[in-house]
Amino acid sequence: MRRKIVAGNWKMNGSKDLVNSLVGHVRSELASLDNGVEAVIIPPALFVGDVIRQSGGKVAVGVQNIACWDSGAYTGEISAVMARDAGCDYALVGHSERRQLFGETDEQVAVKVVRALASGLDAVICVGETLEEREAGTAVSVVSGQVRRAVADVESGQWRQVVIAYEPVWAIGTGKTATAEDAQAMHSAIRAELASLGAPAEKISLLYGGSVKADNAAALFAQPDIDGGLIGGASLNANDFVSICRALPGKS
Ligand code: PEP
């Protein structure tokens, strides 16, 4: 049985007011949901403690990025160990905005995955092709390569902490979504890549991300290899986020 996860990446948005109004609402709405969804809120790091306090242990919490090191003279960085110590359950690793805007490389992503897993965090590893790569017909090889390099140093006992989020770069924040069929095809390719690496691929949750909204979530989540979503913009609205959580069918 794979975990079914809907994770909200707030990016550099939000405030204490948003935490106060959104988290309690999500928590109480999820109490009546029986589809087994694990909801995760990934706010800016400054608000992690506030989200944890409001979540009452019913909503998991993550950070959007971690450092390549555990501690030291790295001004402005936050380590996986610290995120875990602060009560986080998850770390996003390799989001396309980190890769594109901050020059994060596959090698750094792999190191961050190691740090996250060693600290006890689950790593949501983000992969995805650009529009140019999709148009050139290289999407599957690009994404498979990102997956392969990101998990290169995962140890056999750590796979249960690994989640992969397929987020086509051209779909993030643009209002354009992959069709359910295209998303399914890529998820299937990612699962095949994981299997070829010796990972327990059938047990690893694969999330889709990229302009998921309340009205397109159900079609995406109905696909056999899509185990949930990584949600940006729509996670900033409590009703939209809850509707997306509701769109996840109960499935194994
Ligand atoms: C994201 O930030 O990971 C994301 C998928 O954003 P959006 O849902 O806004 O496209």
Side-chain angles (χ1 to χ4, degrees):
M1 166 95 108
R2 294 196 285 269
R3 285 185 289 166
K4 294 173 286 179
I5 298 167
V6 173
N9 171 20
W10 285 14
K11 314 193 191 207
M12 200 174 74
N13 296 300
S15 60
K16 285 186 100 157
D17 279 350
L18 184 72
V19 173
N20 292 336
S21 63
L22 184 143
V23 182
H25 181 80
V26 169
R27 169 186 161 183
S28 64
E29 290 292 318
L30 291 182
S32 61
L33 255 188
D34 61 359
N35 64 356
V37 64
E38 179 173 351
V40 187
I41 292 180
I42 308 177
L46 282 174
F47 301 133
V48 155
D50 299 301
V51 173
I52 290 172
R53 274 187 290 281
Q54 295 280 344
S55 72
K58 303 292 183 204
V59 179
V61 183
V63 282
Q64 299 173 10
N65 180 37
I66 50 170
C68 287
W69 314 273
D70 282 341
S71 65
Y74 303 105
T75 301
E77 294 285 290
I78 295 170
S79 74
V81 174
M82 291 169 182
R84 187 69 183 140
D85 192 30
C88 286
D89 311 287
Y90 286 89
L92 278 188
V93 182
H95 191 281
S96 68
E97 288 154 15
R98 301 289 325 164
R99 293 179 191 259
Q100 294 205 317
L101 301 175
F102 302 99
E104 198 162 293
T105 63
D106 281 342
E107 290 69 30
Q108 288 169 317
V109 169
V111 170
K112 291 180 181 196
V113 169
V114 168
R115 297 287 178 209
L117 304 184
S119 74
L121 294 170
D122 290 358
V124 179
I125 304 168
C126 302
V127 294
E129 82 285 359
T130 63
L131 187 58
E132 294 69 33
E133 289 163 340
R134 175 150 287 265
E135 287 175 348
T138 58
V140 169
S141 66
V142 165
V143 170
S144 299
Q146 288 174 338
V147 170
R148 193 166 56 246
R149 291 187 289 277
V151 302
D153 298 316
V154 174
E155 293 171 12
S156 57
Q158 294 179 319
W159 287 109
R160 65 193 157 69
Q161 292 170 258
V162 172
V163 176
I164 309 278
Y166 167 57
E167 300 202 301
V169 176
W170 47 269
I172 296 180
T174 59
K176 292 182 195 156
T177 318
T179 64
E181 294 71 25
D182 284 349
Q184 164 58 25
M186 187 62 86
H187 280 231
S188 173
I190 291 171
R191 210 176 291 289
E193 180 66 27
L194 289 167
S196 79
L197 298 171
E202 288 303 322
K203 294 186 178 161
I204 296 176
S205 296
L206 306 183
L207 314 184
Y208 172 79
S211 297
V212 177
K213 308 283 179 220
D215 60 1
N216 61 19
L220 289 158
F221 295 168
Q223 300 301 312
D225 284 299
I226 300 183
D227 305 305
L230 179 55
I231 320 300
S235 71
L236 294 165
N237 179 294
N239 290 328
D240 289 348
F241 187 63
V242 168
S243 296
I244 294 169
C245 290
R246 281 189 200 288
L248 203 50
K251 67 180 179 185
S252 59

